[in-house]
């Protein structure tokens, strides 16, 4: 059955919100990749976390007309000042949305550019998220800021054939987050930058073990 969904342009981010249809699931903050929008990851969210509330903003930066969550100078080379500013904007939006929709802290589920800003949010505003699933993520900062992640659960899923994210870079992200105290599981699949059925199974199984966090 289709659930009631809302699309809003009245807040700082155009976004979709789908309320929970069952108990016991942490809400998901869905963060799309370059060229995506607020509708992109809704089917993925419904598949990997049936019944969970879904909050899905559209990135506010445009690159040749394609939405992103922050500016880059070249592929894999980020405008870190813009990334910092956009990360705080997105974190503020999530905090407002939690009040508006009555949500506990969400688990971020980000793909590519969306995974990269989720990683930045873990490092800059760890209180906003209860955990994160980072699909094809890179290290967002050349010199990551010190963060206290207090055992936040993080799943990183990389592709060994990914032409955009070098294996060493994803391994560095895992080490940075683990060094900041997160409980990190880093899995590498024999695939490229795009998502595969194996990603979906991994994410679904990992999320099934993550109930709504205590407030
Ligand atoms: C990024 O810019 O965040 C990464 O290069 C991934 C991408 O969006 O292509």
């Amino acid at each position: 059955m289709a659930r009631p969904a809302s699309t809003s342009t009245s807040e700082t981010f155009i976004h979709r919100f789908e309320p929970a249809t069952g108990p016991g699931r942490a809400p998901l903050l869905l963060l799309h990749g370059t060229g995506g929008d607020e509708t992109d990851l809704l089917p993925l969210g419904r598949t990997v976390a049936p019944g969970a509330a879904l909050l899905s903003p559209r990135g506010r930066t445009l690159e040749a007309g394609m939405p992103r969550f922050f500016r880059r100078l070249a592929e894999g080379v980020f405008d870190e000042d813009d990334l910092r500013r956009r990360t705080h904007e997105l974190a503020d939006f999530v905090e407002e949305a939690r009040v508006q929709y009555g949500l506990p802290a969400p688990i971020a589920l980000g793909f590519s550019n969306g995974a990269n800003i989720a990683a930045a949010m873990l490092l800059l505003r760890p209180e906003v998220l209860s955990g994160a699933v980072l699909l094809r993520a890179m290290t967002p900062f050349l010199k990551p800021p010190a963060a206290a992640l207090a055992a936040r659960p993080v799943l990183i899923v990389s592709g060994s054939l990914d032409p955009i994210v070098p294996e060493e870079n994803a391994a560095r992200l895992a080490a940075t987050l683990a060094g900041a105290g997160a409980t990190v599981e880093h899995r590498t699949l024999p695939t490229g930058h795009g998502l595969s059925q194996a990603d979906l199974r991994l994410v679904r199984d990992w999320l099934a073990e993550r109930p709504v966090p205590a407030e």
Side-chain angles (χ1 to χ4, degrees):
M1 192 177 72
R3 25 182 161 172
S6 61
T7 299
S8 170
T9 51
S10 63
E11 309 292 334
T12 47
F13 281 77
I14 296 170
H15 66 278
R16 292 279 298 266
F17 174 68
E18 293 191 359
T21 56
R25 286 280 197 176
L28 293 186
L29 171 67
L30 301 174
L31 300 169
H32 62 77
T34 300
D37 68 19
E38 68 280 12
T39 64
D40 256 36
L41 296 187
L42 291 170
L44 175 67
R46 293 181 199 123
T47 301
V48 296
L54 304 176
L55 178 64
S56 187
R58 183 194 302 179
R60 298 182 62 194
T61 302
L62 285 179
E63 180 185 281
M66 296 184 296
R68 287 175 50 86
F69 285 96
F70 59 90
R71 287 187 62 227
R72 63 180 162 184
L73 306 174
E75 190 163 283
V77 183
F78 302 148
D79 177 338
E80 294 197 14
D81 288 339
D82 187 65
L83 172 56
R84 265 185 212 91
R85 185 163 68 87
R86 300 289 180 183
T87 300
H88 285 294
E89 266 178 21
L90 182 62
D92 290 345
F93 161 75
V94 174
E95 287 186 336
E96 285 161 23
R98 283 188 59 192
V99 173
Q100 182 181 351
Y101 299 121
L103 300 173
I107 293 177
L109 170 56
F111 168 64
S112 190
N113 181 246
N116 296 340
I117 199 163
M121 209 184 318
L122 282 171
L123 292 167
L124 293 177
R125 296 282 291 273
E127 73 285 358
V128 173
L129 299 174
S130 62
V133 176
L134 308 175
L135 303 172
R136 311 298 186 266
M138 300 178 70
T139 303
F141 300 110
L142 285 177
K143 289 193 182 142
L149 286 170
R152 291 242 180 1
V154 176
L155 173 65
I156 301 174
V157 189
S158 305
S160 59
L161 307 173
D162 189 333
I164 295 176
V165 183
E167 276 190 64
E168 166 282 322
N169 189 303
R172 198 148 36 91
L173 173 62
T176 297
L177 296 175
T183 303
V184 179
E185 185 175 338
H186 185 191
R187 305 287 294 266
T188 301
L189 298 172
T191 185
H193 198 67
L195 299 182
S196 64
Q197 286 299 320
D199 284 276
L200 268 56
R201 280 194 296 274
L202 262 181
V203 175
R204 188 194 55 206
D205 293 350
W206 188 88
L207 284 172
E209 292 166 19
R210 310 257 142 23
V212 178
E215 284 299 284

